[in-house]
Amino acid sequence: HAQPASGLVITEVMTGSSSSASSEFVKIYNQSDSPVILTNIKIQYQASSQSPTNGSWTTKANLDGQLKARSFLLASSTVFDSEHTSAGDFLLTSGLSSTSGRIRIFDGSTALDSLTWGDGVQALEGTSITANLGGFSYKRIVNQDAQFVDDNNNSTDFVSSDAPFAQGGGVEEVEIDPVVDICPITLKL
């Protein structure tokens, strides 16, 4: 049985490659032991000039299906896909600022996880991570037990990496159980 989406964490974000500012991806991991239904889950972006709590957010990808337990999904831009002979699980509309911004996983009422980058930018979780160069990514660190760290502080949960690793493939269609009418029909003559 699928679980609520609270098991989802952002594990890596690239805001542009060394050759194109539009080569972007967001990688999400299901850290729970059960699949997570992705219906109504969105990846959203916000410019750093907006208020993180009441400013406007732009949806960059609409998710659907379900993410298998302990699996990744990848939302990538068309430029990223063309630079790397494979496509992500979902299309990510490009336009992430390389100098500062916020990305979140949003279920329609709650931010399930977020990442904020750029100096002096108010983060949704702790302090923002310092912006990096094109071709670098923000990667969530892992602990000694190979589990992703989520202490709700972007500056300590993420590091800048010069080796982006786009990985997905954990999304599958949701199986819908057929409806069976178990009430017998009684005819009266």
Side-chain angles (χ1 to χ4, degrees):
H1 294 285
Q3 297 293 312
S6 58
L8 301 179
V9 291
I10 297 167
T11 58
E12 189 170 6
V13 173
M14 186 172 83
T15 61
S17 68
S18 54
S19 59
S20 175
S22 296
S23 182
E24 304 165 336
F25 73 81
V26 175
K27 186 167 65 174
I28 295 173
Y29 183 68
N30 174 8
Q31 62 186 355
S32 72
D33 291 324
S34 298
V36 169
I37 298 292
L38 299 172
T39 305
N40 299 322
I41 304 292
K42 301 173 183 341
I43 297 173
Q44 294 186 319
Y45 168 76
Q46 186 183 60
S48 61
S49 60
Q50 296 282 321
S51 164
T53 53
N54 58 15
S56 63
W57 290 82
T58 302
T59 297
K60 294 294 187 176
N62 289 298
L63 309 182
D64 61 8
Q66 68 181 12
L67 182 57
K68 295 184 281 190
R70 307 285 175 193
S71 295
F72 292 95
L73 74 77
L74 181 68
S76 54
S77 67
T78 54
V79 174
F80 179 86
D81 292 346
S82 67
E83 288 180 348
H84 300 84
T85 60
S86 64
D89 301 302
F90 300 98
L91 176 63
L92 180 77
T93 305
S94 61
L96 306 179
S97 169
S98 62
T99 57
S100 60
R102 297 176 195 89
I103 200 98
R104 72 180 180 179
I105 306 169
F106 189 66
D107 71 359
S109 61
T110 305
L112 305 172
D113 194 31
S114 66
L115 169 64
T116 303
W117 62 93
D119 293 334
V121 180
Q122 184 180 357
L124 289 172
E125 297 184 31
T127 308
S128 61
I129 186 169
T130 302
N132 59 29
L133 304 172
F136 282 65
S137 68
Y138 305 105
K139 282 188 181 177
R140 187 176 291 274
I141 61 172
V142 294
N143 62 22
Q144 65 275 10
D145 298 323
Q147 301 295 314
F148 287 106
V149 173
D150 190 7
D151 292 331
N152 294 320
N153 188 348
N154 294 156
S155 65
T156 57
D157 289 349
F158 288 85
V159 295
S160 182
S161 171
D162 63 355
F165 184 64
Q167 176 184 4
V171 177
E172 57 190 10
E173 289 185 26
V174 177
E175 291 185 26
I176 300 172
D177 293 330
V179 176
V180 178
D181 187 358
I182 59 171
C183 296
I185 298 174
T186 306
L187 297 174
K188 292 187 179 183
L189 298 175

